[in-house]
Amino acid sequence: MIDVTEALRLIAETAEPLPPRRVRLEAAVGQSLTAAVVADIDSPPWDRAMMDGFAVCSADFSAAACEPTESIELDVVADVAAGDATGLVVRPGCCARIMTGAPVPAGADAVVPIERAVAGTAAAHAGNRVRLQEPSFRAGQHIARQGDSFRAGQTVLAAGTRLAAPQIGLAAEAGGQHVEVLAPPRVAVITTGSELVSAAVTPAYGQTRNSNGPMLAAAVRQCGAEPILLGIAGDKPEPLRAAITQGLAADLLLLSGGVSAGDYDLVPGALAAAGVACVFHKVRLKPGKPIWFGVLQRSAAAPTLVFGLPGNPVSSLVCFELFVRPALAIVAGRPPAEGQRQTRSVRLVSPAKGNADRPVYHPCTLRATAKGLTAEPLPWGGSADLLGLSRASGLLVLPAGCGSLVAGTTVSALQLDSLADEAE
Ligand code: AMP
Ligand code: MG
């Protein structure tokens, strides 16, 4: 059996960052580009009307026509709506009724807003005449010119850009249907156990609700990765084999249960049969000793890391916190330390008892006090007691062989949650 430090070293040695992935644009929000987005067209792709009104020739708006009291009358020769493609040419003395978002016809080089039409002619359309009064006319007004925003071939989003809603919109405008990103790792989760039923079911005699599936999926999500819940596999070779085959397509596969030494602990054998090489099985810690870790090498893709987590819910989560988190950080391209929970030096406010040959991770409440951080060990019923763990903001790390520790002793703790900020 290896200890926690050696297990972490083996995980760091085995895990490798995922290569960038091309994903559909809509699926890329929150992710960082690994390749720039280069526009395939000018934007706007043509001269675009930015107001509802009349597309006119500037030549008609001489200095005289721009006097506050002057107005000019033009023939309305066409109606151009957004989406219309017209070969029409607007000549001096004429104009086209135009809507916002429509292409400005050839010959016209400004838009006079509908509000500038003299009363009574505001509804002027093709075949009518319109009288316009535009004292502050300037050539080119209310038109977005082709390429004003960006040009074909221009980099609109540089590699490294994090994609939020505006960047997604811009990439779409530039023709980026798919983008290359450092996508979050995909983590398949299989819970094993013939006794397991979903939370929706009132367990019959002998049945146990599946807490680990939702819990591990939540933990995966908290790490910024994407959980894929593959449901419950009974302790039978065939359903287990089928679920494992499916799960091995992900970047990581987490299984819970079936890794101890019982007759129905089929997970290590099923993983070996699927070609997953064992890196370690069993680590000196409490709870969580039966943990299994291995790797499936794939020819055309990054290796799949596989964790067989113990079935007892607290053991499962403690192993996730200690071992899966740093693995996920590496796979996501971050330093493993970033994935680890912060280790704090804390003073016990009440006694705690260790184990003779394994370090114990004991749920506790961490508090920031005027005299530094304190930890209060919580009443805890062991590896199945999720209620006890749910009240904890940290895990005391009680070293192997430490015996009984009195109040006031300084020990390490892993911080799971924000600190309670109270006086002692
Ligand atoms: P195992 O590791 O399969 O031997 O399971 C150890 C204990 O954890 C047994 O009492 C199981 O019923 C329980 N257990 C296993 N998987 C789950 C799960 N997904 N949710 C809740 N308890 C579980
Ligand atoms: Mg089991």
Side-chain angles (χ1 to χ4, degrees):
M1 197 160 31
I2 59 173
D3 60 24
V4 171
T5 325
E6 175 63 359
L8 288 172
R9 193 190 65 75
L10 288 168
I11 289 167
E13 196 178 272
T14 311
E16 50 189 83
L18 285 175
R21 250 200 300 260
R22 274 182 81 70
V23 298
R24 272 187 315 103
L25 185 56
E26 306 81 63
V29 67
Q31 296 163 28
S32 293
L33 286 174
T34 49
V37 174
V38 176
D40 66 347
I41 53 161
D42 291 345
S43 188
W46 25 262
D47 295 351
R48 175 188 291 148
M50 298 303 285
M51 299 280 276
D52 291 327
F54 300 90
V56 301
C57 306
S58 293
D60 288 329
F61 287 77
S62 61
C66 294
E67 289 297 317
T69 52
E70 282 298 319
S71 62
I72 62 156
E73 198 170 273
L74 301 170
D75 282 327
V76 184
V77 293
D79 288 348
V80 191
D84 285 351
T86 167
L88 173 89
V89 179
V90 176
R91 305 200 182 281
C94 302
C95 67
R97 175 86 167 88
I98 197 161
M99 321 302 154
T100 303
V104 178
D109 58 1
V111 170
V112 174
I114 188 80
E115 295 79 6
R116 301 294 184 204
V118 173
T121 53
H125 288 281
N128 295 89
R129 287 173 70 75
V130 67
R131 180 162 287 281
L132 301 172
Q133 199 169 44
E134 178 66 307
S136 54
F137 183 88
R138 46 182 183 82
Q141 69 176 26
H142 307 309
I143 293 178
R145 290 277 175 204
Q146 176 174 346
D148 263 359
S149 187
F150 54 77
R151 289 285 179 193
Q154 184 178 330
T155 294
V156 292
L157 293 166
T161 306
R162 208 173 140 79
L163 298 172
Q167 291 76 21
I168 296 283
L170 176 59
E173 185 182 339
Q177 270 190 75
H178 290 85
V179 285
E180 194 186 280
V181 291
L182 224 42
R186 290 175 299 199
V187 184
V189 179
I190 302 170
T191 44
T192 76
S194 297
E195 75 281 27
L196 299 179
V197 292
S198 86
V201 173
T202 303
Y205 184 64
Q207 293 182 328
T208 296
R209 278 191 175 136
N210 173 16
S211 351
N212 294 355
M215 177 179 73
L216 293 171
V220 165
R221 214 178 275 289
Q222 279 187 323
C223 292
E226 185 194 330
I228 305 162
L229 272 174
L230 296 184
I232 298 166
D235 296 315
K236 295 213 171 67
E238 183 42 37
L240 193 55
R241 189 202 60 76
I244 286 174
T245 304
Q246 204 182 345
L248 286 173
D251 302 311
L252 266 85
L253 168 59
L254 307 183
L255 296 109
S256 90
V259 284
S260 310
D263 290 350
Y264 293 97
D265 289 330
L266 307 176
V267 167
L271 289 172
V276 183
C278 179
V279 177
F280 62 74
H281 187 190
K282 295 198 169 76
V283 176
R284 202 170 292 118
L285 85 154
K286 189 181 158 90
K289 181 172 101 177
I291 183 174
W292 192 101
F293 172 64
V295 61
L296 176 77
Q297 297 298 343
R298 298 185 291 178
S299 53
T304 302
L305 302 182
V306 183
F307 286 91
L309 304 171
N312 267 312
V314 179
S315 314
S316 228
L317 196 65
V318 166
C319 287
F320 184 96
E321 292 293 338
L322 288 179
F323 304 117
V324 182
R325 272 181 159 266
L328 272 174
I330 297 171
V331 167
R334 290 179 278 127
E338 245 183 56
Q340 264 155 357
R341 292 293 194 182
Q342 215 182 337
T343 302
R344 315 290 299 244
S345 190
V346 297
R347 198 163 39 80
L348 287 175
V349 295
S350 51
K353 194 165 179 301
N355 176 279
D357 48 21
R358 284 185 282 159
V360 176
Y361 292 77
H362 188 111
C364 67
T365 303
L366 298 176
R367 286 196 183 85
T369 73
K371 286 189 253 159
L373 279 183
T374 67
E376 184 181 355
L378 287 164
W380 177 52
S383 53
D385 182 9
L386 268 185
L387 184 65
L389 182 65
S390 74
R391 292 171 175 151
S393 52
L395 290 171
L396 280 176
V397 188
L398 304 171
C402 70
S404 295
L405 302 175
V406 295
T409 310
T410 299
V411 292
S412 293
L414 296 180
Q415 188 179 331
L416 299 179
D417 205 349
S418 46
L419 296 177
D421 196 8
E422 284 171 35
E424 210 175 317

